[in-house]
Amino acid sequence: MEQMKRTHACGALRASDAGQTVTLNGWVHRTRDHGGVAFFNLRDHSGITQVVVDQDAPSELQEVAGGLHMEYCVAVEGTVRKRPDAMVNSDMATGEIELAATRIDVLSTCEPLPFMIDERSDARDDLRFKYRYLDLRTAAMQRKIRLRSEVMQAVREYLTGQNFVEVETPTMIKSTPEGARDFLVPSRLHPGTFYAMPQSPQLYKQILMVSGFDRYFQLAHCFRDEDARGDRQLEHTQIDLEMSFVSKDDVFEVVEGMMGNVFRRALGVELPATFERLPYDEAMNRFGSDKPDLRFDLELQDFVPFVEGSGFGVFEGVVSSGGTVKVLVVPGQADYSRKQITELEDVAKTYGAKGLAWTKVRAADGDANAEETGDASGGLTLDGGIGKFFAPRADEIAAALGAGDGDLLLFVADGWKVATTALGAVRSRLGRDLELAEPGTFRFAWIVDFPLFEYNEDEGRWEAAHHMFTMPQEQYIETMEDDPGAVKGDLYDLVCNGYELASGSIRIHDPALQSRIFRIVGFDEEEAQRRFGFLLEAFKYGPPPHGGIAPGLDRLVMIMAGEDSIREVIAFPKTANGLSPMDDSPSPVDPKQLEELGLRLAPKKE
RNA sequence: GGGGGUGUAGCGAAGUUGGUUAUCGCGCCGGCCUGUCAAGCCGGAGAUCGCGGGUUCGAUCCCCGUCACUCCCGCCA
């Protein structure tokens, strides 16, 4: 029997097609058998059409229809028919018509499903991943994976239009462990040696600049053997790009144009032509994060000016030992309960804060506390928590912070990094709890002027905050050995809605400068040669000044899809634990495979 | 590596201050039904309450361990 090929997609037919004889191919979405007349919905990725088998249809046809079950794959031939007015389903795009079947071929049958192919289905992730092919049949997943495809095409369209060349780099490379753990691939031909899967094509794309491909890009798979998160997988995809003879402004311009094209084409959303720039220090001081969600205000403020002489020993102690006190004014939330504040305090403590101090701004009139707190101005007072220490200056403080009656004040006192980070985490939590960010909006920003080095307390040495090939900013170069912590790098992040979307830098192309960086992070020449010798060798042959960036494709699509996990926009993701329930990987291998590779498993640790 | 939440029928959930037939919706099986569209009505099957151990006369419930999913810290140049 010849297969009935489709003439239309399941979401395509409209009232204007009435009278046509058509064939649809798809999956049985639901069946409704009335004994006489029978209906079923036929679905493909484009939509759903109701098929009707009339009461007076041939008994053979009725029999086939009666035997249909969910997710049978079928071909239906029939006549498009306008529905009677009362039967029109305005919730369906095809709701004005139905297909009166004249022939139904069952192309394949389907066993009872582990979960329903339905927007309402909310199966656990491991089950969805085990049966990912079924999960992907849902309209929601179809939408997201197709969005991803659209984004990739928009990226290629824009970058190739800007004279970028797409170059593939190897998936098996030399292990250059510096940041994350490498995934290793044992070599059979050279037992005892290993390839690594790239954490990113970083060194290769820099070498491509030496090669004269002055604008390179690649949709690159990157692998990092670290614990996963909702926005992190063991393997992910970067829109990796690199350019020669550029400053960071040139890189920004390309990415702004690319994002504009992506959002325009894939979502029909118009982004600003340029994104605002926020120095790292300012981002930390105002938002307590180097990837702030700028869709809402709720900014951190400096409380140090009010600490001296307050008599509140905790704050005074922190300030006198060089720390800082940050405050968050939460408008209108003075009715927050102790329990809610304790929950926020737990958030702050997670990030190293010793506590979360609080008080509430109240109108002072009629307040029994007003006299004993010495506030006779009749304006505002600070009520509860640490309020009594600062109530005498309540009006002054409120004015300086822009706070008013009914506001909640939250404080963290600690070293600068902890105080800003911890209160920033509280800000993020409040943003979620109070739903301050409008869904469906996108706020991009460049974070610039990052420190080039960070001090590693555990190992007692400086290390590269980004990577070792990042150019220090001009004004720090001469004296950078004196105070590495003060050096700002020519590196930048692109953030959107509280996520780090991209990270990049202008690279060092001067071997002498590169050697100084190696020395600061404690790399001797031999170590540098062993790890990066091939790059340093390449840089002996006329390397151009260059820089680049690598936006994360998964996070980008996640944000565009309104999801909060990249698993939702990856066709075949791993679980948070790094497992793949569908193919059951990772898995043990045949001892013979190990033998060929010259590997022997260590006994399991007790 | 550490902390929080979750795990009850194929799926999603309820439940038990520790008590003998573990509940509901969807799905599945059988029957009825001429217009439904999350069809409806009647009947039925289906659960070692994640797994292992402990406490107890008795554990799905309490305790310990373990596995899985998930969120967070660490980690992620």
Side-chain angles (χ1 to χ4, degrees):
Chain A
M1 186 164 56
E2 196 182 337
Q3 190 199 318
M4 294 197 290
K5 280 192 184 168
R6 60 185 173 189
T7 58
H8 294 75
C10 291
L13 296 169
R14 294 294 182 271
S16 56
D17 298 305
Q20 280 196 57
T21 296
V22 303
T23 300
L24 301 183
N25 294 168
W27 286 266
V28 175
H29 193 60
R30 284 182 185 281
T31 61
R32 296 177 293 279
D33 187 347
H34 289 247
V37 65
F39 304 93
F40 62 92
N41 287 347
L42 192 65
R43 186 201 72 240
D44 65 18
H45 70 85
S46 71
I48 292 178
T49 297
Q50 170 165 285
V51 179
V52 56
V53 178
D54 288 317
Q55 176 211 5
D56 54 6
S59 62
E60 202 179 281
L61 185 61
Q62 292 199 39
E63 205 169 301
V64 175
L68 295 177
H69 294 277
M70 283 193 292
E71 298 307 310
Y72 275 31
C73 187
V74 299
V76 181
E77 181 191 82
T79 307
V80 181
R81 176 162 97 183
K82 268 189 90 162
R83 297 194 193 184
D85 286 347
M87 310 308 168
V88 167
N89 185 343
S90 57
D91 293 335
M92 289 173 80
T94 61
E96 282 189 75
I97 56 97
E98 62 194 1
L99 183 62
T102 51
R103 179 178 160 191
I104 299 172
D105 282 1
V106 174
L107 305 176
S108 67
T109 61
C110 179
E111 299 204 347
L113 295 160
F115 51 83
M116 299 240 280
I117 313 302
D118 194 314
E119 301 293 317
R120 295 179 304 138
S121 176
D122 192 23
R124 293 166 61 93
D125 270 5
D126 45 346
L127 198 71
R128 292 178 58 202
F129 294 174
K130 178 168 182 184
Y131 299 96
R132 191 60 159 178
Y133 39 86
L134 295 178
D135 191 39
L136 289 172
R137 282 185 191 170
T138 61
M141 289 308 300
Q142 286 280 323
R143 199 161 49 236
K144 286 180 275 193
I145 299 302
R146 285 166 193 276
L147 171 66
R148 184 183 176 113
S149 169
E150 192 71 23
V151 169
M152 290 193 288
Q153 291 185 53
V155 164
R156 286 201 163 99
E157 175 182 74
Y158 185 81
L159 292 178
T160 52
Q162 296 287 318
N163 296 319
F164 279 78
V165 178
E166 184 168 10
V167 182
E168 293 159 282
T169 53
T171 308
M172 294 190 293
I173 65 171
K174 178 182 175 64
S175 177
T176 57
E178 181 48 26
R181 280 182 212 96
D182 281 333
F183 278 104
L184 296 177
V185 179
S187 163
R188 175 184 60 82
L189 293 173
H190 306 281
T193 64
F194 297 82
Y195 303 96
M197 322 240 329
Q199 296 179 25
S200 77
Q202 182 63 37
L203 304 184
Y204 288 87
K205 70 174 174 179
Q206 292 191 240
I207 286 172
L208 283 169
M209 295 301 105
V210 179
S211 306
F213 291 99
D214 58 9
R215 292 188 152 203
Y216 142 91
F217 86 101
Q218 177 182 196
L219 298 178
H221 290 139
C222 305
F223 307 87
R224 294 176 188 178
D225 188 7
E226 298 291 348
D227 290 4
R229 285 284 170 79
D231 62 353
R232 264 165 32 197
Q233 284 262 300
L234 301 181
E235 49 183 314
H236 72 286
T237 306
Q238 283 183 348
I239 306 166
D240 194 45
L241 56 97
E242 193 79 6
M243 305 160 72
S244 292
F245 312 116
V246 293
S247 68
K248 69 174 186 300
D249 298 306
D250 301 299
V251 177
F252 288 6
E253 196 181 321
V254 163
V255 174
E256 285 160 353
M258 181 182 82
M259 289 296 174
N261 192 54
V262 164
F263 275 72
R264 191 177 308 119
R265 174 168 166 179
L267 289 185
V269 167
E270 202 60 39
L271 295 181
T274 58
F275 305 150
E276 67 183 286
R277 302 180 189 190
L278 207 52
Y280 168 80
D281 288 342
E282 185 183 339
M284 293 301 293
N285 277 321
R286 289 172 58 195
F287 304 102
S289 171
D290 59 3
K291 46 183 164 85
D293 189 341
L294 300 174
R295 290 174 298 174
F296 58 94
D297 297 331
L298 203 66
E299 295 190 16
L300 279 53
Q301 298 187 64
D302 185 8
F303 196 67
V304 170
F306 306 103
V307 168
E308 196 185 332
S310 65
F312 187 44
V314 175
F315 284 8
E316 288 173 340
V318 166
V319 171
S320 67
S321 63
T324 190
V325 181
K326 290 285 174 183
V327 59
L328 200 55
V329 178
V330 193
Q333 299 299 330
D335 56 350
Y336 251 54
S337 66
R338 289 298 288 268
K339 189 180 169 212
Q340 287 172 297
I341 293 173
T342 301
E343 279 176 22
L344 294 175
E345 179 166 39
D346 289 341
V347 171
K349 282 179 172 173
T350 307
Y351 290 82
K354 289 163 198 72
L356 182 70
W358 61 275
T359 189
K360 295 169 176 181
V361 183
R362 302 280 192 199
D365 22 337
D367 188 332
N369 288 332
E371 262 178 66
E372 62 185 72
T373 55
D375 178 45
S377 69
L380 297 166
T381 189
L382 297 171
D383 180 31
I386 63 170
K388 63 182 175 185
F389 296 103
F390 302 99
R393 298 174 71 185
D395 288 307
E396 185 194 346
I397 290 171
L401 301 179
D405 183 24
D407 292 353
L408 173 67
L409 303 186
L410 300 169
F411 308 80
V412 174
D414 214 303
W416 179 79
K417 190 78 180 277
V418 169
T420 50
T421 305
L423 200 55
V426 172
R427 174 184 182 269
S428 299
R429 172 63 178 271
L430 285 166
R432 268 199 305 280
D433 288 356
L434 301 174
E435 296 177 346
L436 299 177
E438 191 186 333
T441 60
F442 307 96
R443 279 294 300 275
F444 283 88
W446 294 106
I447 310 297
V448 297
D449 300 338
F450 278 88
L452 188 62
F453 301 104
E454 280 173 354
Y455 194 71
N456 184 324
E457 301 281 351
D458 296 337
E459 300 185 19
R461 64 178 183 93
W462 291 99
E463 52 188 35
H466 182 57
H467 61 57
M468 284 183 278
F469 312 110
T470 301
M471 183 79 94
Q473 290 183 10
E474 182 72 32
Q475 66 269 34
Y476 299 96
I477 290 179
E478 202 165 322
T479 60
M480 65 182 184
E481 280 85 357
D482 302 340
D483 185 6
V487 179
K488 306 291 189 198
D490 241 339
L491 69 143
Y492 33 84
D493 281 1
L494 178 64
V495 302
C496 180
N497 294 5
Y499 291 97
E500 178 192 316
L501 254 195
S503 202
S505 65
I506 302 300
R507 331 292 184 188
I508 297 168
H509 64 282
D510 169 14
L513 181 58
Q514 185 67 66
S515 294
R516 288 173 61 198
I517 300 285
F518 282 147
R519 274 197 296 277
I520 290 173
V521 300
F523 260 47
D524 58 34
E525 201 62 30
E526 189 189 343
E527 175 87 4
Q529 282 299 331
R530 196 168 57 76
R531 294 201 189 200
F532 310 113
F534 63 109
L535 180 71
L536 301 177
E537 177 75 10
F539 276 14
K540 291 176 183 169
Y541 298 96
H546 60 286
I549 192 164
L553 176 69
D554 311 279
R555 286 185 190 172
L556 174 61
V557 178
M558 171 188 85
I559 290 170
M560 295 176 76
E563 292 287 349
D564 50 18
S565 167
I566 62 173
R567 292 185 290 266
E568 292 298 321
V569 298
I570 296 174
F572 299 102
K574 310 267 188 290
T575 68
N577 216 3
L579 304 177
S580 174
M582 189 175 79
D583 62 8
D584 197 27
S585 65
S587 61
V589 296
D590 194 299
K592 197 178 164 207
Q593 287 177 278
L594 290 178
E595 197 182 323
E596 282 184 335
L597 295 167
L599 296 179
R600 192 171 300 133
L601 296 179
K604 277 185 186 161
K605 274 186 259 176
E606 286 307 317

